[in-house]
């Protein structure tokens, strides 16, 4: 199920990068004349795009596993190999930290603006997390909730952490909420694009924003993929464009709030001010998202005033 979550995040991220002009659709790369074969140039650009997507997904999996292992060091030192290679036990916050950190690192190496990069990755991160929760549900690994008398309560007698009580199927709750968050963030990204303004992309309506990025016949080691600001075609002048970074800020707030709330009906141990580790991390995400939105609003007002 981890692989399914990774694939879902991969394709959603690629779709978001394409619509923002950060990745060229397959077979539609504008090329200028060069002695280098067009197929080689297209393969290079596509490889850089795939690296931007695949490496952060893999880092998220590694980070989620390491964070989970470090949450219970006694179990790790008792059975280190079993803990590391087990297909179960992935912590959401560890995947969030590692995935976004590597995503930013790879994107910055390719000269993509930071806030635009984070906005593009947010819907995929939300969707991937939700699908990953299906694996927790099917394995019954203890991510279920407290006992309940609600009609949809379930028991997990054959789970990794078995229980015969009817409990809240919290992974299903999280799947539903995560899909809604991903849909909402996708719509926010569409609003950014439709409202026009500066669009950071490789391709504009008039052709390549920077043709030399695609064809450098004399260079043996091509430089990292770069993007330059280009004007979006036919901007909607009547619509106010959400500032870059607003999608990511909303992601932090919504996912953090969802995780904070669901922990009230989870069985995770409390460790910090009566909160579980995940609950404290969720609260931290909400605070970070609110601060980011406040900063973006202040920056936007300052920019509008100066202009």
């Amino acid at each position: 199920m981890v692989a399914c979550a990774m694939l879902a995040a991969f394709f959603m991220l690629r779709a978001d990068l394409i619509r923002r002009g950060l990745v060229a659709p397959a077979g539609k790369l504008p090329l200028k004349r060069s002695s280098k074969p067009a197929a080689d140039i297209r393969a290079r650009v596509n490889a850089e795009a795939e690296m931007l997507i695949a490496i952060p997904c893999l880092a998220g999996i590694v980070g989620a596993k390491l964070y989970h292992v470090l949450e219970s060091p006694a179990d790790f030192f008792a059975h280190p190999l079993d803990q590391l290679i087990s297909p179960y036990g992935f912590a959401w916050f560890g995947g969030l930290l590692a995935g976004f950190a590597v995503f930013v690192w790879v994107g910055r190496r390719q000269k993509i603006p930071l806030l635009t990069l984070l906005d593009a990755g947010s819907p995929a991160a939300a969707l991937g997390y939700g699908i990953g929760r299906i694996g927790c549900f099917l394995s019954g690994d203890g991510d279920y909730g407290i006992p309940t008398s609600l009609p949809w309560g379930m028991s997990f007698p054959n789970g990794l952490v078995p229980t015969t009580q009817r409990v809240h199927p919290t992974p299903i709750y999280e799947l539903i909420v995560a899909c809604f968050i991903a849909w909402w963030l996708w719509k926010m990204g569409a609003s950014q694009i439709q409202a026009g303004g500066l669009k950071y992309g490789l391709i504009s309506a008039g052709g390549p924003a920077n043709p030399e990025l695609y064809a450098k016949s004399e260079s043996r080691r091509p430089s990292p993929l770069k993007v330059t600001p280009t004007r979006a075609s036919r901007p909607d002048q009547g619509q106010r464009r959400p500032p870059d970074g607003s999608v990511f800020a909303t992601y932090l707030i919504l996912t953090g709030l969802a995780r904070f709330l669901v922990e009230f009906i989870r069985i995770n141990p409390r460790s910090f001010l009566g909160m579980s580790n995940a609950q404290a991390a969720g609260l931290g995400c909400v605070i970070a998202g609110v601060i980011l939105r406040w900063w973006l609003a202040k920056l936007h007002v300052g920019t509008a005033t100066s202009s």
Side-chain angles (χ1 to χ4, degrees):
M1 194 53 64
V2 172
C4 292
M6 180 178 172
L7 284 174
F10 179 96
F11 286 111
M12 190 168 197
L13 176 57
R14 182 172 179 82
D16 209 326
L17 292 173
I18 288 174
R19 69 174 181 166
R20 292 175 182 273
L22 297 172
V23 169
K28 294 185 179 180
L29 288 176
L31 303 173
K32 84 178 202 178
R33 292 182 180 179
S34 170
S35 60
K36 200 169 187 177
D40 292 344
I41 302 171
R42 180 173 290 108
R44 175 174 67 82
V45 177
N46 282 339
E48 290 173 330
E50 303 302 336
M51 181 178 69
L52 176 62
I53 300 169
I55 294 179
C57 289
L58 292 173
I61 294 175
V62 173
K65 169 60 73 174
L66 290 179
Y67 193 93
H68 174 77
V69 167
L70 294 176
E71 280 186 313
S72 53
D75 295 338
F76 171 69
F77 287 117
H79 306 283
L81 185 60
D82 292 341
Q83 290 286 322
L84 287 175
I85 66 175
S86 171
Y88 309 107
F90 293 88
W92 159 73
F93 193 61
L96 174 68
L97 288 177
F100 267 109
V102 175
F103 185 56
V104 169
W105 176 73
V106 175
R108 295 301 290 170
R109 282 177 59 86
Q110 297 182 0
K111 310 301 181 184
I112 300 175
L114 177 60
L115 293 178
T116 303
L117 186 71
L118 293 175
D119 282 350
S122 296
L127 181 64
Y129 171 76
I131 294 179
R133 278 305 179 194
I134 299 176
C136 300
F137 171 74
L138 295 177
S139 65
D141 60 359
D143 280 336
Y144 47 75
I146 59 178
T148 180
S149 59
L150 293 172
W152 55 81
M154 303 180 66
S155 61
F156 297 86
N158 299 315
L160 292 175
V161 182
T163 180
T164 56
Q165 290 182 295
R166 294 179 65 84
V167 296
H168 283 285
T170 50
I172 299 300
Y173 300 167
E174 293 180 274
L175 168 64
I176 295 171
V177 173
C179 289
F180 169 78
I181 292 174
W183 170 78
W184 186 262
L185 297 176
W186 183 267
K187 285 178 62 68
M188 286 188 65
S191 298
Q192 287 180 326
I193 296 170
Q194 292 171 3
L198 276 176
K199 177 183 178 182
Y200 293 91
L202 296 170
I203 302 170
S204 66
N210 211 340
E212 65 270 16
L213 298 176
Y214 300 104
K216 290 189 175 183
S217 58
E218 298 179 358
S219 175
R220 293 185 178 181
R221 299 183 63 183
S223 61
L225 192 64
K226 298 180 181 179
V227 296
T228 55
T230 61
R231 288 286 172 183
S233 59
R234 297 183 180 179
D236 185 352
Q237 300 295 342
Q239 185 177 357
R240 181 180 177 183
R241 185 181 188 276
D244 291 337
S246 58
V247 177
F248 178 62
T250 304
Y251 165 80
L252 291 175
I253 294 171
L254 294 182
T255 55
L257 182 62
R259 191 57 191 265
F260 179 81
L261 293 177
V262 78
E263 286 295 311
F264 283 112
I265 57 172
R266 291 274 296 274
I267 61 173
N268 287 335
R270 270 42 183 172
S271 58
F272 179 72
L273 298 179
M275 298 184 292
S276 67
N277 290 341
Q279 199 167 30
L283 182 59
C285 284
V286 172
I287 295 173
V290 170
I291 292 174
L292 178 57
R293 284 197 66 96
W294 171 81
W295 179 77
L296 290 172
K298 185 177 179 180
L299 183 66
H300 185 70
V301 170
T303 304
T305 302
S306 62
S307 60

